[in-house]
Amino acid sequence: MASGVLARHVSTWVRRAAVVTAGILLTVAPLSQAGAAPAKKAAKTTTAKAVPAKAGAKKAAPVKQAKATPSTARTAAKPQRDGRVKATVTARSRAERVASRQTRLGLVKVAHVAPERPPRLSFGQMAGLHATDDPLDLKSSVALVLDQDTHEVLFSKNDHAVLPIASLTKLMTGLVVSEAGLPLDEVITITAEDVDTEKGSRSRLALGTQLTRGELMHLALMSSENRAAHALGRTFPGGLGRFVGAMNARAAMLGMKDTRYVEPTGLSSANRSSAHDLAALVAVASQDALLRQLSTSTGYEVAVGPRVLQFNNTNRLVHDPEWHIGLQKTGYISEAGQCLVMQARVAGRKLIMVFLDSSGKYSRIADAERVRRWVELQRPASTVAGNALAG
């Protein structure tokens, strides 16, 4: 009996010693030596086995696992995180191998990104016209300002250079249509022939749109609508070829020796002219009341099917009360740069302004503003001329 009691006491002491020993090992082992056993091995010692009791004694109850410190908790969680990362990398590499195989077999089309092209130089830039200095520091490589009544040249810069003129072409288109006396209320339908195949430009006039000749004239001169201008030439008596012939014939009558037209929109860089030739065109066109009205209109609404479309003027100066513009036309293609012609009253004089091959979206407008301020500060008879380069 005494031996049984003694055995139970011994077993109890052994269990208590095991618990104390486990606590000590758990606390001291991770901190005892730097770079000793890895943290993973230390985690395995958190449960201590009890020493077997003497024969006949009851088995010791399993010792509860001691609480881990924050460092051991992070160490224990690390294998799980590493496992997730490894699984993710494995899945990704497997997907990449599958995609690569599908690409080789032609099952998946690979999108090729075209390299960015450098900006296309205008004809004036290629000819070195922008290197010409002028007193007003204009951004246009070609400029001409003259008095419409006296024909006095107030300002010139490379004014004999022959360059593409973009949508300034539409001014001659409008002049030929107006002088032909064609009915402005005749309905014209936009067809596939009017779609731009030269530059691929878009238009708000869908195929099948029906507008009157007068409405097409308005859109061509005010908002530089390409399909409208092409439809005007296509429906000219005798067809488009006859119309282009009439444009060149009218230019010859005006003494525009440097001018050539190949189509009525200006999308082709083969439509070319010089500042002096364009000034002659502006002088004549400004005498046409219809062209004056349509080109300086600030905005216009047209009904296209069930919708009403709002078109605006491409020249924001028509909204400026400081400007008194009688006629204007803008133009742009990459070969021509930004272009602008105007007839306006400045400092009590009717001036004709021509700006070609201007660099920058708003530079032609800024050049016109510089010229206006300069004229307002000068005496009426003062003139200035930049170096001229022949085109």
Side-chain angles (χ1 to χ4, degrees):
M1 189 72 178
S3 62
V5 172
L6 180 60
R8 286 195 298 273
H9 283 296
V10 170
S11 178
T12 301
W13 293 336
V14 170
R15 289 197 302 271
R16 290 177 180 176
V19 171
V20 172
T21 302
I24 293 173
L25 289 175
L26 179 64
T27 305
V28 175
L31 305 175
S32 58
Q33 297 180 6
K40 289 190 291 185
K41 293 183 179 180
K44 293 180 180 179
T45 63
T46 56
T47 304
K49 295 182 180 179
V51 179
K54 294 183 179 180
K58 294 183 179 179
K59 292 183 179 180
V63 179
K64 295 182 179 180
Q65 186 174 358
K67 294 183 178 179
T69 63
S71 61
T72 57
R74 288 193 299 270
T75 303
K78 185 176 180 181
Q80 299 178 2
R81 293 198 302 270
D82 292 344
R84 288 196 298 270
V85 172
K86 184 175 181 180
T88 302
V89 172
T90 302
R92 185 184 302 131
S93 61
R94 186 183 299 113
E96 291 173 352
R97 290 196 300 273
V98 171
S100 176
R101 183 170 180 273
Q102 290 177 339
T103 301
R104 289 197 303 272
L105 296 177
L107 300 176
V108 177
K109 293 183 179 180
V110 179
H112 296 282
V113 179
E116 185 176 352
R117 295 181 179 180
R120 191 171 180 180
L121 296 179
S122 69
F123 281 32
Q125 289 172 323
M126 289 188 289
L129 298 182
H130 283 269
T132 304
D133 295 326
D134 67 81
L136 301 184
D137 193 25
L138 302 184
K139 303 304 179 184
S140 302
S141 70
V142 173
L144 178 64
V145 181
L146 56 84
D147 187 304
Q148 185 175 2
D149 294 327
T150 66
H151 305 289
E152 178 187 4
V153 175
L154 305 183
F155 185 95
S156 66
K157 176 183 178 182
N158 298 327
D159 51 318
H160 291 288
V162 179
L163 297 174
I165 57 174
S167 287
L168 301 185
T169 299
K170 294 183 177 73
L171 199 55
M172 178 61 83
T173 298
L175 181 64
V176 171
V177 172
S178 178
E179 291 182 341
L182 301 176
L184 297 179
D185 58 354
E186 180 181 347
V187 176
I188 296 175
T189 302
I190 300 296
T191 70
E193 295 180 63
D194 303 318
V195 175
D196 171 24
T197 57
E198 181 79 26
K199 294 288 190 294
S201 60
R202 297 181 179 180
S203 172
R204 299 171 69 192
L205 302 182
L207 300 186
T209 299
Q210 293 187 324
L211 297 174
T212 66
R213 180 175 281 108
E215 289 175 321
L216 294 177
M217 282 266 289
H218 202 154
L219 298 182
L221 293 171
M222 181 194 72
S223 58
S224 210
E225 230 300 331
N226 291 315
R227 290 186 184 178
H230 192 275
L232 290 172
R234 176 177 56 82
T235 57
F236 190 79
L240 185 61
R242 181 80 176 271
F243 183 78
V244 174
M247 293 174 68
N248 286 304
R250 191 69 178 95
M253 290 178 61
L254 295 175
M256 300 169 64
K257 298 180 181 180
D258 298 321
T259 301
R260 175 174 177 259
Y261 298 105
V262 299
E263 49 84 31
T265 68
L267 289 168
S268 173
S269 60
N271 288 353
R272 301 181 185 183
S273 189
S274 64
H276 275 282
D277 280 8
L278 290 171
L281 174 60
V282 171
V284 172
S286 64
Q287 304 300 318
D288 189 304
L290 180 62
L291 300 187
R292 290 172 60 92
Q293 174 190 347
L294 299 183
S295 70
T296 59
S297 172
T298 57
Y300 186 59
E301 291 183 348
V302 294
V304 179
R307 298 184 301 163
V308 175
L309 300 181
Q310 172 69 42
F311 289 83
N312 297 310
N313 202 305
T314 55
N315 184 353
R316 66 178 186 177
L317 292 180
V318 300
H319 298 274
D320 192 336
E322 294 186 1
W323 279 90
H324 305 282
I325 301 173
L327 179 112
Q328 69 80 37
K329 188 68 195 76
T330 63
Y332 171 78
I333 55 173
S334 58
E335 298 93 332
Q338 302 284 345
C339 304
L340 172 65
V341 294
M342 290 195 303
Q343 187 259 22
R345 184 172 293 276
V346 178
R349 308 175 74 173
K350 288 192 297 184
L351 301 184
I352 292 177
M353 303 181 184
V354 179
F355 303 99
L356 302 181
D357 187 36
S358 187
S359 57
K361 186 176 181 180
Y362 302 108
S363 55
R364 60 190 176 188
I365 301 298
D367 283 353
E369 293 282 11
R370 290 188 186 96
V371 167
R372 181 177 66 85
R373 289 193 295 268
W374 173 78
V375 171
E376 291 173 342
L377 293 174
Q378 300 301 309
R379 291 177 299 174
S382 65
T383 62
V384 62
N387 296 328
L389 293 179

